[in-house]
Amino acid sequence: EDTDVFAFPRILSPLLTGILVLAMIASSAAPARASFTFEDEQKLGKEFYEKLETNKLLIHDPRVDRYISDIGNRIVKQSPVSIFEFRFSVIDSNAINAFATPGGYVYLNRGLITLVEDESELAGVLAHEIAHVNARHIADIIAKSQKVSIATVAAVLAGAFLGGGGDLSAAVTSFSVAAGTSMNLSYSRQHEEEADRIGMAYLADTGYDPKGMLDFLRIMRRYQFYSNSIPSYFLTHPGTDERIRYLDGLLQTTHTRKGRESIIGNLKRIQVSLLLRSRNPEAVTKELAEELKKNPNDVDILYGLAVSQERTGAVAASLENFHRAIGLAPQDEDIVRELGIAYFKSGKTREAVTYLNRALSLDDDNPQTILYLGRAYSALGDYRAAIALYARLDVTQIEDPELLYNMAVAYGKANQPVESHYYFALHFKKKNKWDSALFHFKEALKLVPEQSDWGRRIAKEIEELSKTKKDGPPPGSRGPLGR
């Protein structure tokens, strides 16, 4: 028996695994039937996703989410009509891992995305997981365990996909519900062969080079011998050589037509964005500078280098590389926006306004562009222009408390005290300064009719915050994140 070839050992907190398992165990005690139904799959998948979300394990970067979802949904369109609505997510972990849970939930770890060498390899990973979901392989395994409860399945699922070795395995098996079952939640060789065969067909039909699936496995084989820092699937799950030969056979006999290595594009800038979440920006800068020597006109490398240089404080070098990139791709909205942000952070506000307005003309709905353009107008004293931009934002999506602070100041300068108090309150709420947040919410409530939209919204915030102050924050909550 082999587990999923892409289910490599994880580096996630044992405490988190325990939380996931406990939460899932508590959620259901209904026995699984001989037929593990579509509804069972959806319930299990949704619950697993929600626990990852609660524990802040998922990355919510709009650009990254859009990129992964675009690739995944292109592949789904080439598959038969699925009974599930697929959802693609990125887990904030360096571990090289990808997996799918019942119900159409597909996960890629940050570490895997930064490892692939081209988009077709990433698409191959997704195609393999989509094939497992559509073939209902996990449901097939569960259906053979007629006396196992759904709660036990959830616990075993957590152990299979969030365990993998060392302390994590001990943490999972320490729960009797997971350790006490003889259920083996692993794909058979027949399941893996089917997922490879179907997945490669999906990949080819989508227009990608089907060789990408094989290339990714070969990359991981290299890591088996050359890396001590990345956990290796191959140490605990044999059979990879046979599967490489099987995939090579499909390429020689069935999928002989070469497809494209990239369809969506901009993989490098997605990788840089993810690398900067976990690695020292100086190290990223050094690595990209070496790549640029080999490919001096690669726009994505120039963009990534400029972003990483801006993060290290090398402003002059950053601006120079942004301008080089714009010279090669003048209509690239990412580059124009990031150049505007770099100008803003370096105190060159008028230049920032110029480039951020240009970015807004290329994409009038990008929240980062709107936020920084609003901040730039505020810095120039044009608070009305700033407020007009802020009004376009979904405030629930703003994670950075300092941006909320800037919004509050702008509304105050424009003599709009209700909004100013409200955003000051949200600012302090994000920073867990509940007394200050309540003060501003209550001051705002004094200025509006209680039955107005503003009044009801503020009253709800006061009620929820008062309860939080009394009972404490919900389990798994963390401080605010933001750029």
Side-chain angles (χ1 to χ4, degrees), residues 68 280 388:
I68 298 302
N280 188 317

Side-chain angles (χ1 to χ4, degrees), residues 34-47:
S35 174
F36 193 68
T37 68
F38 300 146
E39 290 76 16
D40 291 334
E41 289 189 69
Q42 289 173 320
K43 179 180 179 181
L44 191 58
K46 182 173 184 289
E47 193 166 306

